[in-house]
Amino acid sequence: SAVISQKPSRDICQRGTSLTIQCQVDSQVTMMFWYRQQPGQSLTLIATANQGSEATYESGFVIDKFPISRPNLTFSTLTVSNMSPEDSSIYLCSVASGTDYGYTFGSGTRLTVV
Amino acid sequence: DAKTTQPPSMDCAEGRAANLPCNHSTISGNEYVYWYRQIHSQGPQYIIHGLKNNETNEMASLIITEDRKSSTLILPHATLRDTAVYYCIVRSASKIIFGSGTRLSIRP
């Protein structure tokens, strides 16, 4: 299965600032996904990052708050914009492995907004 | 994607089989059942998946009822390292939607 490198692993940010999270995959993948996991909660899908077109956002998530780039088939970024303490979460990227094994997840970015 | 229902928590004695149930009564014919687990502070890890036949791999067994409306994940000999949140997911399309999962605790 694909190997995902996600950076940074954690960060503490001031409210009102933005953070860009990077997701690098060791092989070309068609579909990449971004999830948010709030403290003590399950994972919530933010958006699907599409190469060559705009990301597809789930209900409750908007591009102005979570802009996503997907410049090629191995890389994507998620930006958390104008952060508030409510954005404190773990953010994870995921890729379809290309087999029936479903999806592979990165180790996540633990974001704390103060 | 169909919704799933899992008990919020379970516990199991170390060395015994852990049986984690999942209801997916609205599953349709082309939807697979997937199981993932998330150990604290890590990304979810794939365990097993199936369509209608029972499946077994080195980690677990998956038992799917004949009507496919429910399934059970079996960890045959639970260890302390199996302590995690286990997610049952039903999917046919291109994305995975997580439910609340079952927090499994293994007691020594």
Side-chain angles (χ1 to χ4, degrees):
Chain A
S1 60
V3 176
I4 298 174
S5 173
Q6 190 173 333
K7 295 179 181 179
S9 59
R10 59 179 62 227
D11 207 342
I12 300 173
C13 300
Q14 296 291 322
R15 68 175 67 201
T17 63
S18 298
L19 175 72
T20 295
I21 302 167
Q22 300 180 0
C23 181
Q24 178 76 53
V25 190
D26 69 342
S27 58
Q28 293 186 341
V29 293
T30 304
M31 311 197 71
M32 296 179 75
F33 306 90
W34 288 98
Y35 288 83
R36 178 176 74 182
Q37 187 170 30
Q38 294 175 300
Q41 303 295 311
S42 181
L43 286 78
T44 302
L45 181 63
I46 297 172
T48 302
N50 306 306
Q51 196 268 332
S53 64
E54 276 198 5
T56 304
Y57 289 83
E58 298 297 310
S59 176
F61 297 96
V62 294
I63 187 171
D64 290 347
K65 176 66 176 177
F66 298 101
I68 287 172
S69 79
R70 180 83 196 274
N72 57 53
L73 291 175
T74 64
F75 186 78
S76 177
T77 66
L78 169 76
T79 298
V80 186
S81 303
N82 188 24
M83 289 183 286
S84 66
E86 292 71 35
D87 295 319
S88 298
S89 295
I90 298 174
Y91 293 85
L92 301 105
C93 73
S94 174
V95 302
S97 66
T99 71
D100 282 341
Y101 292 169
Y103 294 78
T104 302
F105 287 81
S107 53
T109 296
R110 184 179 294 273
L111 170 63
T112 302
V113 184
V114 297
Chain B
D1 293 337
K3 290 190 69 173
T4 61
T5 304
Q6 299 177 253
S9 63
M10 294 181 64
D11 68 82
C12 177
E14 190 175 19
R16 305 297 294 268
N19 297 279
L20 291 86
C22 179
N23 286 322
H24 31 79
S25 58
T26 59
I27 192 170
S28 60
N30 62 344
E31 291 182 317
Y32 283 78
V33 179
Y34 279 76
W35 283 82
Y36 284 78
R37 73 180 182 184
Q38 187 176 27
I39 296 171
H40 183 62
S41 297
Q42 299 181 19
Q45 174 193 23
Y46 165 84
I47 301 174
I48 198 167
H49 75 284
L51 183 62
K52 49 184 155 181
N53 298 323
N54 298 338
E55 302 288 344
T56 296
N57 63 20
E58 65 277 6
M59 290 181 68
S61 295
L62 174 61
I63 308 299
I64 303 174
T65 58
E66 191 168 344
D67 63 7
R68 302 207 327 119
K69 293 186 177 182
S70 65
S71 61
T72 301
L73 177 74
I74 301 173
L75 307 178
H77 306 287
T79 71
L80 296 176
R81 288 176 295 180
D82 292 321
T83 295
V85 178
Y86 288 77
Y87 295 100
C88 167
I89 297 158
V90 172
R91 78 167 182 108
S92 60
S94 55
K95 57 189 179 184
I96 288 182
I97 304 298
F98 284 79
S100 323
T102 295
R103 183 174 299 277
L104 177 67
S105 301
I106 306 299
R107 57 180 189 273

